């Protein structure tokens, strides 16, 4: 090869690579321990810095391919530095499923995977849920008006009304 036959240098171009996004680890969602008839308190631990949290919950355990609950999930947000969130407005005596993920405070597209799913049941309360109320008859008054001229005497035995003179 001829080492003296060279072309001129090309013009100088520059490029900037995007900053490397640190991957976030999912928070650890604890099993809920405080439930009322309309709320469940969630708590978690997290090792990420500068993150907010997205909580998602549903009455169904089904998740789709991206890990989101697939049956009418409800989102909730928790602020940076928080480790607890009270989810309110729930139905009594109902099982709810929860998971949480971290979201970078500086890049909202940088999200961790969802945490493991935990569940909790709201307590029964008031009407519509919980244990049914039972009432027992302890006494009664009996009064009636005879609609015929001939009145047959009646008595009660073992809580049954019986004709004293059956024909």
């Amino acid at each position: 090869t001829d080492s003296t036959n060279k072309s001129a240098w090309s013009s100088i171009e520059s490029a900037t690579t995007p900053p490397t996004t640190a991957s976030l680890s999912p928070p650890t969602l604890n099993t809920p321990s405080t439930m009322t008839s309309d709320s469940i308190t969630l708590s978690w631990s997290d090792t990420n810095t500068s993150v907010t949290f997205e909580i998602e919950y549903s009455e169904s355990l089904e998740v789709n391919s991206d890990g989101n609950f697939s049956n009418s999930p409800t989102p909730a947000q928790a602020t940076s530095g928080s480790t607890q969130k009270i989810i309110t407005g729930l139905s009594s005596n109902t099982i709810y499923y929860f998971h949480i993920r971290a979201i970078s405070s500086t890049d909202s597209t940088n999200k961790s995977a969802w945490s493991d799913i935990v569940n909790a049941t709201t307590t029964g309360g008031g009407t519509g849920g919980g244990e049914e109320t039972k009432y027992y008859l302890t006494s009664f008054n009996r009064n009636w008006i005879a609609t015929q001229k001939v009145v047959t005497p009646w008595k009660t035995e073992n809580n049954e009304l019986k004709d004293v003179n059956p024909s």
Side-chain angles (χ1 to χ4, degrees):
T1 65
D2 183 3
S3 62
T4 59
N5 190 10
K6 298 178 184 173
S7 69
W9 286 100
S10 64
S11 62
I12 298 174
E13 298 293 329
S14 66
T16 305
T17 57
T20 304
T21 303
S23 100
L24 300 174
S25 57
T28 301
L29 188 56
N30 302 318
T31 301
S33 59
T34 304
M35 288 79 69
T36 69
S37 62
D38 68 348
S39 71
I40 294 176
T41 301
L42 300 176
S43 65
W44 59 89
S45 59
D46 182 61
T47 58
N48 298 297
T49 57
S50 298
V51 295
T52 59
F53 301 97
E54 180 180 17
I55 300 165
E56 192 179 67
Y57 61 97
S58 176
E59 292 179 38
S60 171
L61 184 55
E62 294 178 38
V63 293
N64 56 29
S65 61
D66 63 1
N68 294 326
F69 286 118
S70 55
N71 187 13
S72 302
T74 304
Q77 303 298 319
T79 58
S80 179
S82 63
T83 58
Q84 180 174 308
K85 174 80 173 178
I86 300 172
I87 307 297
T88 59
L90 305 176
S91 298
S92 66
N93 206 30
T94 303
I95 296 174
Y96 289 91
Y97 299 91
F98 302 88
H99 58 188
I100 186 172
R101 65 181 169 189
I103 301 174
S104 170
S105 297
T106 58
D107 178 6
S108 61
T109 64
N110 183 13
K111 300 176 182 182
S112 74
W114 287 108
S115 69
D116 290 336
I117 295 171
V118 300
N119 70 70
T121 304
T122 52
T123 60
T127 58
E131 188 175 322
E132 68 179 272
T133 303
K134 296 180 179 178
Y135 296 94
Y136 297 94
L137 181 64
T138 57
S139 66
F140 66 95
N141 293 325
R142 57 193 164 140
N143 296 310
W144 66 85
I145 300 172
T147 58
Q148 300 177 3
K149 290 186 179 183
V150 178
V151 177
T152 305
W154 295 85
K155 68 177 184 175
T156 56
E157 278 182 16
N158 298 324
N159 294 327
E160 293 181 17
L161 193 60
K162 300 212 180 225
D163 189 345
V164 173
N165 298 317
S167 38

